[in-house]
Amino acid sequence: MGQQSLDNWIGREIMNDGEISEYQAAQIHVTVGEGNPPRKGDAMPYLWHWCAFPTVASNDLLGADGHVHQSKLLPPVPMPRRMWAGGRLQFFKPTYVGESLKRKSKVRSISEKMGKVGPLVIVTVEHDLYSEHGLVIKEMQDIVYLEIPDRFTPPTKLEVPSKTRELIDIPETLLFRYSAITFNAHRIHYDLPYTQEIEKYPNLIVHGPMQATFLMRHAVRDFGYSVANFEFRSVHPMFVGNPCGITQQVNENVVSLWAVQDDHQCMQAKITLKDTL
């Protein structure tokens, strides 16, 4: 599929309804939360909205990797590896457990590039999340498609910029639970033979959004619910087994965070705090 054909998908738009019920909130809480679980009517922690709009598709619509292979929104990019590589979010108002939500999703851009490991396609999707109080979150999501290599060649390791402040255990059960609460059937998170034999990774992959959620959770401990903007980018796969480390640096109202493993960066993130601090 050439760039001209892919460009035909730019501007495609869909609407979805969603919510996080009290029962779902309890499931999310025991997976990635801390403290007391939010009850119906309580404000939800940041990024829990990622569990509110699962892609509901029958089993026969799933591709070999577990993703839906005929999306109503995303273009049919002819590359077999797909990953959520990063994103940028603006938070305007809280979201609440049990409230009805709507999400307008739109393909903003599609670009073909040559990366270090070969050609790739980046699809950027804009999500506008609404509650009865109006626009609550605006999000840009970067989805990267690329070929599967003959063997695993890890990206260049980037040194950890400061002392690790927190260690989070990453067992296989945690990956399974996060896949369950997000209704994500991508096999690299639970199917080790597929992950090693087909996608050529040495071990199961820790979800990027889960790493981002841990980074956000860590920052909220220090700064509370005062986040205006959040951006994140995966720079190296994180694997099941060894702990996920969290490190942080603060410069006025900007908090830089890293998810690290084995003394190298896996995810970079940045939070801009509201001016009221």
Side-chain angles (χ1 to χ4, degrees), residues 126-277:
E126 180 182 62
H127 300 291
D128 288 341
L129 187 66
Y130 297 90
S131 73
E132 63 181 27
H133 306 291
L135 179 66
V136 291
I137 299 171
K138 179 178 282 290
E139 177 176 0
M140 292 289 187
Q141 177 185 9
D142 297 324
I143 304 168
V144 175
Y145 299 79
L146 61 165
E147 300 292 344
I148 295 176
D150 295 330
R151 60 186 178 86
F152 177 66
T153 303
T156 302
K157 290 188 175 183
L158 302 175
E159 292 185 2
V160 178
S162 59
K163 183 179 179 180
T164 299
R165 299 178 45 150
E166 178 184 4
L167 286 175
I168 303 168
D169 289 334
I170 306 291
E172 293 181 357
T173 47
L174 176 61
L175 270 63
F176 174 84
R177 281 187 159 195
Y178 193 78
S179 289
I181 62 175
T182 55
F183 204 57
N184 179 4
H186 196 183
R187 294 169 68 181
I188 63 172
H189 303 304
Y190 62 87
D191 186 338
L192 184 60
Y194 169 86
T195 302
Q196 293 178 329
E197 296 167 14
I198 304 300
E199 298 228 14
K200 308 303 181 184
Y201 289 116
N203 209 338
L204 298 175
I205 302 293
V206 179
H207 310 68
M210 182 163 65
Q211 295 177 54
T213 300
F214 286 144
L215 292 173
M216 180 68 86
R217 186 182 75 179
H218 184 91
V220 165
R221 290 193 202 123
D222 289 342
F223 304 101
Y225 288 92
S226 56
V227 176
N229 300 283
F230 177 67
E231 58 183 87
F232 65 98
R233 182 169 71 97
S234 295
V235 295
H236 192 289
M238 181 179 287
F239 299 107
V240 72
N242 291 345
C244 167
I246 306 293
T247 186
Q248 172 182 296
Q249 292 180 349
V250 182
N251 182 11
E252 296 182 349
N253 70 328
V254 176
V255 183
S256 297
L257 297 131
W258 294 265
V260 303
Q261 188 179 62
D262 299 330
D263 297 321
H264 66 85
Q265 299 177 32
C266 293
M267 177 171 286
Q268 303 168 344
K270 185 180 294 184
I271 287 173
T272 305
L273 302 172
K274 296 176 182 177
D275 295 334
T276 54
L277 284 184

Side-chain angles (χ1 to χ4, degrees), residues 103-115:
R103 188 180 67 180
K104 181 174 71 174
S105 303
K106 185 175 184 178
V107 177
R108 272 295 177 192
S109 65
I110 301 173
S111 58
E112 295 187 71
K113 297 183 178 181
M114 182 60 65

